[in-house]
Amino acid sequence: MSTRVSSPPFGDRLAAAADRRGTPLVLGLDPDPARLWPGITPSGDDPAATSLGLQAALAHEGTRPGALAALAVYEHCRQVIEATAHSCVAVKLQVASFERLGPAGWQTLHAVAQLVRDADLLLIADAKRGDIDVTAESYAAALFDGTETPWGWVPGLGADAVTVNPLMGHDAIQPFLDRARAVGGGIFVLVRTSNPGAADFQEQRLASGEPLWQRIAGQVAALDSGKGALADAGAVCGATVPERVAELRQLMPRAPFLLPGVGAQGGTIDGLRAAFAPGLGGGLVTVSRGLVRAHETSGDHDAAAAAASAARDLRDQCLRAAA
Amino acid sequence: MSTRVSSPPFGDRLAAAADRRGTPLVLGLDPDPARLWPGITPSGDDPAATSLGLQAALAHEGTRPGALAALAVYEHCRQVIEATAHSCVAVKLQVASFERLGPAGWQTLHAVAQLVRDADLLLIADAKRGDIDVTAESYAAALFDGTETPWGWVPGLGADAVTVNPLMGHDAIQPFLDRARAVGGGIFVLVRTSNPGAADFQEQRLASGEPLWQRIAGQVAALDSGKGALADAGAVCGATVPERVAELRQLMPRAPFLLPGVGAQGGTIDGLRAAFAPGLGGGLVTVSRGLVRAHETSGDHDAAAAAASAARDLRDQCLRAAA
């Protein structure tokens, strides 16, 4: 059975959470098993092995590396969330980082999602899925609430929002939004990404005169019901192109923006003022390496302290930009 | 440790397999737990429960529905592959259908991949992933060979090819192709999909005069090394738009085409002649419901017999179109 409970719309929940916690900062988690925080030594005796259901995988030579890596990733994520939660409104989980650990990684993804909820943070599943029809519905079920089967209810990841790739068009967006709305969730549609390759297609000018990103933005804007504090259909906009962020805010006045690219990719928070026009929750500045690897650049031996300090600093930068 | 062995390029492997097996038909598996073949009754006593590592999940109330559904999906896929392998060159696994069953689904995805290899069929992971940098590398590792970690080698799905979403540009395509080439694998880039929403963005005419799909096709064509029987960078082209398939063949003369949309979506194999210009392996006609639900339309009580018959018929249609 579904345990669905009626939930307020995502836009209201997001706006309230950002205001209540006083931050629009999003912790991005994309753990690389080869670059976790120091001192993490997973073993089969780890109590988490039981709670993650990894005992069977740990007992077999072929699956043991994946289970140990998953245990290590779990502990790493636990420590990073604990160190930075005070300055964040949400955690963005990079689904790929867990998928590469196989079945054990998927179990860990679910366990880390629970850590995020326990920390009273919103959960954004950065999956960039894009497909249609029953396939889109399956992805949405996997990432949001779950699936009814003849053998009972299979719970999904429980994400509050997911990232969606719009290339296939409206029928690749709507199934995600429908499922999101049913559970008080939201979507972030890729509109103008932060990478150099965004120039290849997203920046192409159409015969109608507008670039492709503008056409995509128009479709996202049209999904806004106009109700609540913010729309539940948001946009991914690269923080590396602040001029685009300002233009996109004009086109999508109430859409929450998910803003990757600060730090490692060269974006600055100061350039993102326009994103905050509809409120603090309108500009979700998502930072991964700038938090998790803060100790590498600061030379601090205490990774948690360095991450905590970087989180406070990034939060303060956001608040200045939003002021 | 990686167990990588040197493998011939994907284009050669695909062309040889299609010629040897005498078919370009691809079985699409996107199992819906509520619509599996009749007579499938999963239980914890099922020997597959052990081989799939689902005992622990079966023992807990919260995870038992997912494990039972996964067992049922596994048995369904086993029967469908057994019934249709004779007329197919590859199996396309819709990753979403397994993801929605949670960790147990991911274990089942790996187990079904092994069934595909055991049947001497190529494995296409229809994941439509699109991301950049280390994230793209993680997805590629998850779907192709695997990941080296401090705790040992974590095996990937072992796909021969994966579907890739190009919206983010060349830096979202290249990491998948790099990993593919390292293992003798290939990619299928979404160029012109079979759904109505393809008109929203893919069919938009650019200021330069060409539609977006043509621009994407040009980028895929440029990835062809010119060596071997077929390129290892292929394209997803909807069988619902035969005129596009012919145009795309002009633009990408050596790219293998993955052609969904026959049957349920209204495409016909007869319209796909141009796809086969570079050989049988150039036109991978992928059929899901037309095979798995053949008994529903034919009224046949034996789902396997109906699927086998439909597979032979579809294969023969392909051979006539390719002649």
Side-chain angles (χ1 to χ4, degrees):
Chain A
M1 276 296 293
S2 167
T3 53
R4 267 187 211 175
V5 289
S6 172
S7 176
F10 177 69
D12 288 334
R13 294 171 58 220
L14 172 60
D19 290 342
R20 185 179 71 245
R21 299 184 66 92
T23 175
L25 186 65
V26 177
L27 164 64
L29 285 175
D30 55 351
D32 176 350
R35 295 189 69 175
L36 304 178
W37 277 4
I40 292 174
T41 53
S43 84
D45 302 329
D46 194 326
T50 307
S51 61
L52 269 69
L54 292 175
Q55 309 97 312
L58 285 163
H60 292 281
E61 198 183 342
T63 51
R64 187 170 166 84
L68 286 173
L71 272 176
V73 161
Y74 175 79
E75 176 59 17
H76 168 86
C77 291
R78 194 192 66 72
Q79 291 183 20
V80 178
I81 292 169
E82 186 176 86
T84 59
H86 51 72
S87 297
C88 297
V89 66
V91 175
K92 180 176 81 71
L93 297 181
Q94 181 46 262
V95 176
S97 306
F98 298 87
E99 280 188 15
R100 74 168 148 192
L101 299 179
W106 205 254
Q107 283 167 278
T108 304
L109 178 67
H110 277 248
V112 173
Q114 189 57 49
L115 293 176
V116 173
R117 284 187 286 272
D118 292 346
D120 192 29
L121 297 167
L122 294 172
L123 174 63
I124 301 169
D126 191 3
K128 296 189 179 67
R129 300 300 193 252
D131 215 312
I132 56 162
D133 201 39
V134 293
T135 306
E137 289 167 18
S138 294
Y139 278 131
L143 296 170
F144 287 116
D145 56 337
T147 299
E148 187 61 54
T149 77
W151 301 277
W153 181 256
V154 180
L157 186 63
D160 294 293
V162 306
T163 53
V164 174
N165 185 311
L167 179 66
M168 295 180 76
H170 65 272
D171 39 3
I173 300 172
Q174 197 66 47
F176 284 95
L177 186 58
D178 289 345
R179 180 61 77 119
R181 284 180 172 163
V183 297
I187 61 172
F188 291 95
V189 177
L190 304 187
V191 173
R192 204 320 189 160
T193 55
S194 58
N195 59 309
D200 293 356
F201 308 122
Q202 296 164 45
E203 285 284 344
Q204 286 297 318
R205 192 162 292 278
L206 304 179
S208 57
E210 62 187 343
L212 180 63
W213 58 259
Q214 190 170 327
R215 179 66 62 102
I216 302 173
Q219 200 166 106
V220 173
L223 298 172
D224 183 1
S225 67
K227 292 182 205 147
L230 287 167
D232 49 13
V236 177
C237 314
T240 49
V241 279
E243 69 279 15
R244 289 281 173 276
V245 172
E247 294 169 291
L248 290 169
R249 180 49 80 211
Q250 297 293 321
L251 295 165
M252 298 176 284
R254 288 168 24 88
F257 286 0
L258 189 63
L259 301 155
V262 165
Q265 292 185 57
T268 66
I269 293 173
D270 194 50
L272 303 175
R273 292 181 181 279
F276 301 106
L280 209 50
L284 298 176
V285 175
T286 169
V287 179
S288 304
R289 277 165 276 181
L291 290 168
V292 176
R293 298 193 188 156
H295 60 296
E296 295 181 9
T297 42
S298 71
D300 197 323
H301 288 298
D302 185 338
S309 172
R312 284 192 194 90
D313 181 54
L314 288 162
R315 177 200 59 196
D316 292 346
Q317 287 183 49
C318 290
L319 294 178
R320 281 197 297 274
Chain B
M1 277 295 294
S2 165
T3 53
R4 267 188 209 174
V5 289
S6 172
S7 175
F10 178 69
D12 287 335
R13 295 171 57 220
L14 172 59
D19 290 343
R20 186 180 71 244
R21 299 185 66 92
T23 175
L25 185 65
V26 176
L27 164 64
L29 285 175
D30 55 351
D32 176 349
R35 295 189 68 175
L36 304 179
W37 278 5
I40 292 175
T41 52
S43 85
D45 302 329
D46 194 326
T50 307
S51 61
L52 270 68
L54 291 175
Q55 308 98 312
L58 285 163
H60 293 282
E61 196 183 345
T63 50
R64 187 170 167 85
L68 286 173
L71 272 176
V73 161
Y74 175 79
E75 176 59 17
H76 168 86
C77 291
R78 194 192 66 71
Q79 292 183 19
V80 179
I81 292 169
E82 186 175 86
T84 60
H86 52 72
S87 297
C88 297
V89 66
V91 175
K92 179 175 82 69
L93 297 182
Q94 181 46 263
V95 175
S97 306
F98 297 87
E99 280 187 16
R100 76 167 146 192
L101 299 179
W106 205 254
Q107 284 168 277
T108 304
L109 178 66
H110 277 248
V112 173
Q114 188 58 48
L115 293 176
V116 173
R117 282 187 287 272
D118 292 346
D120 192 29
L121 297 167
L122 293 172
L123 173 63
I124 301 169
D126 192 3
K128 296 189 179 65
R129 300 300 194 252
D131 215 312
I132 56 161
D133 200 40
V134 294
T135 306
E137 289 167 18
S138 294
Y139 278 131
L143 297 170
F144 287 116
D145 56 338
T147 298
E148 187 63 52
T149 78
W151 301 277
W153 181 256
V154 180
L157 186 62
D160 294 294
V162 306
T163 53
V164 173
N165 185 311
L167 179 66
M168 295 179 76
H170 64 274
D171 39 3
I173 300 171
Q174 197 65 47
F176 284 95
L177 186 58
D178 288 345
R179 181 59 77 118
R181 284 180 172 162
V183 297
I187 61 173
F188 290 95
V189 177
L190 304 187
V191 173
R192 207 313 189 167
T193 56
S194 58
N195 59 309
D200 292 357
F201 307 122
Q202 298 165 44
E203 284 285 344
Q204 286 299 317
R205 192 161 293 277
L206 304 179
S208 57
E210 63 187 344
L212 181 63
W213 57 260
Q214 190 169 328
R215 180 66 62 102
I216 301 173
Q219 200 166 105
V220 174
L223 298 172
D224 183 1
S225 67
K227 292 182 206 148
L230 288 167
D232 48 13
V236 177
C237 313
T240 49
V241 278
E243 68 280 16
R244 290 281 174 275
V245 173
E247 294 170 291
L248 290 169
R249 181 48 81 209
Q250 296 292 321
L251 295 165
M252 299 176 284
R254 289 166 26 87
F257 286 1
L258 189 63
L259 301 155
V262 165
Q265 292 185 56
T268 66
I269 293 173
D270 193 50
L272 303 175
R273 293 179 180 280
F276 299 107
L280 208 50
L284 298 176
V285 175
T286 170
V287 179
S288 304
R289 277 165 275 181
L291 290 168
V292 176
R293 299 193 187 156
H295 60 295
E296 294 181 8
T297 42
S298 71
D300 197 325
H301 289 298
D302 184 339
S309 172
R312 285 192 194 91
D313 181 54
L314 288 162
R315 177 200 61 196
D316 292 346
Q317 288 182 48
C318 289
L319 294 177
R320 280 196 296 276

